[in-house]
């Protein structure tokens, strides 16, 4: 069964809870890496908690949210092995799986509606990576991450 982690800072606590409810209704299990209230926290810590589980193979995919989606995506993308994409519409959620083999989707509570977030999560989790020429490009992302000249 697919393993999923979810995390957010205070700026997206409500969005995280709403996505969790959606996943619960679908019977999809996940690990909640916090935060656990609307009290102000530092987004890199929560992005790291979820992203590092994806990097270690403890989770297949991560859903990480903040007010904008931007800060958590920056934090997550600094974890080796993570390909995090900020998504703001259904097409992006689909294409970042098909072409980028993204393993983390980032969203902003002040950017997307809860309904759109749920739809993007469904698309992200059900879309396969196309491989082929896109594998070569994803391999180049890994090379950059490893400090190689490309
Ligand atoms: C927190 O105020 C806010 O900066 C954070 O949620 C996020 O949007 C950062 O990029």
């Amino acid at each position: 069964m697919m393993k999923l982690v979810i995390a957010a800072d205070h700026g997206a606590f409500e969005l995280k809870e709403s996505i969790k409810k959606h996943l619960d209704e679908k019977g999809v299990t996940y690990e909640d890496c916090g935060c656990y209230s609307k009290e102000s926290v530092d987004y890199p810590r929560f992005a790291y908690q979820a992203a590092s589980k994806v990097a270690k193979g403890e989770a297949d995919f991560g859903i990480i949210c903040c007010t904008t989606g931007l800060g958590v995506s920056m934090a997550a993308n600094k974890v080796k092995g993570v390909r995090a994409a900020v998504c703001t519409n259904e097409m992006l959620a689909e294409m970042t799986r098909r072409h980028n083999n993204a393993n983390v989707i980032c969203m902003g509570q002040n950017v997307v509606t809860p309904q759109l977030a749920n739809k993007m999560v469904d698309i992200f989790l059900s879309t396969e990576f196309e491989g082929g020429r896109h594998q070569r490009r994803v391999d180049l992302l890994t090379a950059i991450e490893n400090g190689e000249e490309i």
Side-chain angles (χ1 to χ4, degrees):
M1 196 165 63
M2 178 176 56
K3 282 183 274 176
L4 197 57
V5 283
I6 186 164
D9 75 348
H10 58 284
F13 173 72
E14 287 160 316
L15 181 62
K16 174 168 71 70
E17 295 308 301
S18 143
I19 293 168
K20 280 167 56 182
K21 184 166 175 282
H22 175 67
L23 293 171
D24 289 342
E25 284 167 2
K26 288 172 58 100
V28 177
T29 57
Y30 52 82
E31 180 181 350
D32 184 352
C33 297
C35 62
Y36 304 109
S37 77
K38 286 196 260 182
E39 186 184 333
S40 182
V41 293
D42 296 330
Y43 64 82
R45 297 186 187 282
F46 295 89
Y48 176 76
Q49 285 305 316
S52 61
K53 286 181 191 290
V54 174
K56 287 180 201 157
E58 294 172 12
D60 303 301
F61 295 110
I63 302 166
I64 315 182
C65 305
C66 62
T67 310
T68 58
L70 298 173
V72 289
S73 74
M74 290 181 190
N77 275 318
K78 293 197 180 297
V79 179
K80 198 169 177 173
V82 169
R83 289 176 300 279
V86 186
C87 292
T88 56
N89 66 40
E90 295 172 31
M91 184 271 286
L92 295 180
E94 180 184 339
M95 293 305 286
T96 201
R97 285 289 308 127
R98 282 161 55 120
H99 286 193
N100 313 129
N101 201 13
N103 47 19
V104 170
I105 182 169
C106 298
M107 291 175 285
Q109 179 173 295
N110 284 14
V111 181
V112 299
T113 63
Q115 293 75 20
L116 176 58
N118 291 343
K119 187 77 189 137
M120 290 195 293
V121 165
D122 290 348
I123 291 168
F124 186 83
L125 297 179
S126 63
T127 303
E128 296 291 331
F129 176 49
E130 279 181 16
R133 68 186 186 281
H134 300 295
Q135 183 62 59
R136 184 175 71 244
R137 294 159 185 167
V138 170
D139 289 344
L140 287 167
L141 295 178
T142 304
I144 295 170
E145 186 175 64
N146 290 334
E148 294 171 24
E149 300 279 344
I150 63 168

